[in-house]
Amino acid sequence: MYEELLTQLSISKRIVFFTGAGISAESGIPTFRGEEGIWQKFRPEELANFSAFMRNPKLVWEWYQYRRKIVRDSLPNPGHTAIVDFEKYFDVTIITQNVDNLHNRAGSKKVYELHGNIERNYCVRCKRRFDYIEFPDAESPPLCDCGSNIRPDIVWFGEYLPQDQFAASEKAAEQSDIFFVVGTSSIVYPAASITSIAKSAGSFVVEINIAETEISNRVNLFLKGKSGEILPEILNQLKVKFL
Ligand code: BJW
Ligand code: ZN
């Protein structure tokens, strides 16, 4: 079924998975856009930028506490675990736009996080980090020792992406033999530009998505369907054929 891809895989060493909210949909974490997306109910301009946080820290903090609960009650799905399995046979890098920490929880080794991680926080003023520390009962942003608000370590609209993560992602994309684009609408920049880097560098670009996106007519192969079904299936076929 995936003949062309299996042939490519058989001559490939370095694989990148560039992931978005769609890969976590089967874990029960809502995506951002689309009919069931969270932006249908909550307005990004009220919640996902720094001015919104300074204007109404309690509202924004509460929203992230609510999202943290969803994330912590979720588990990695077969899409995440198939990627961990790929690591046995290939040099795998994951570049994720997701903040849900599920690739790490699944056990993936090399994960670059372009938009931060909901399990981390930092102080808006002195930038002190509060990583993997839960504030389960805090209904408002906790205060740092310096007296300022602690915020989630999420890249909001209008903010720069973490430079080290972005630079490492560009390099991985450039060096990849196969570049999988999984469960992302590919409309948020500069993250989406990573795919063009891979393509220009000659990587074989494979998109996995339940629906066509902006980039579907520019990729080498578009596979329509759920990532939690397609990724394990590719791996099964690969094992049968080559391993
Ligand atoms: C499945 C599936 C299954 C479902 N299997 N598939 C014009 C106006 C204003 C701003 C801009 C503008 N033009 C450009 C900008 C810049 C802006 C941007 O790109 N905006 C666009 C929306 C237009 N970018 C930024 O602001 C970035 N920073 C920046 O540019 O800095 C430079 C700068 C500095 C100073 C001044 C100006 C510029 C930062 C972007 C940060 C994005 N952060 C977010 C939210 C964080 C908040 C939070 O999490 O609460 O990150 S936005 C949101 O989108 C989130 C995601 O990581 C990101 C990408 O979304 P993703 O993952 O693609 O999800 P969806 O929902 O879009 O798609 C899901 C897909 O899955 C769909 O295709 C489904 O079909 C599919 N699917 N089930 C497979 N089972
Ligand atoms: Zn501080």
Side-chain angles (χ1 to χ4, degrees), residues 216-237:
S216 304
N217 57 6
R218 285 182 276 133
V219 298
N220 297 91
L221 185 64
F222 173 69
L223 300 176
K224 187 169 184 173
K226 293 183 174 177
S227 47
E229 292 171 5
I230 292 182
L231 285 168
E233 184 53 28
I234 294 170
L235 202 64
N236 281 340
Q237 293 193 18

Side-chain angles (χ1 to χ4, degrees), residues 123 126 144 146:
C123 167
C126 73
C144 175
C146 78

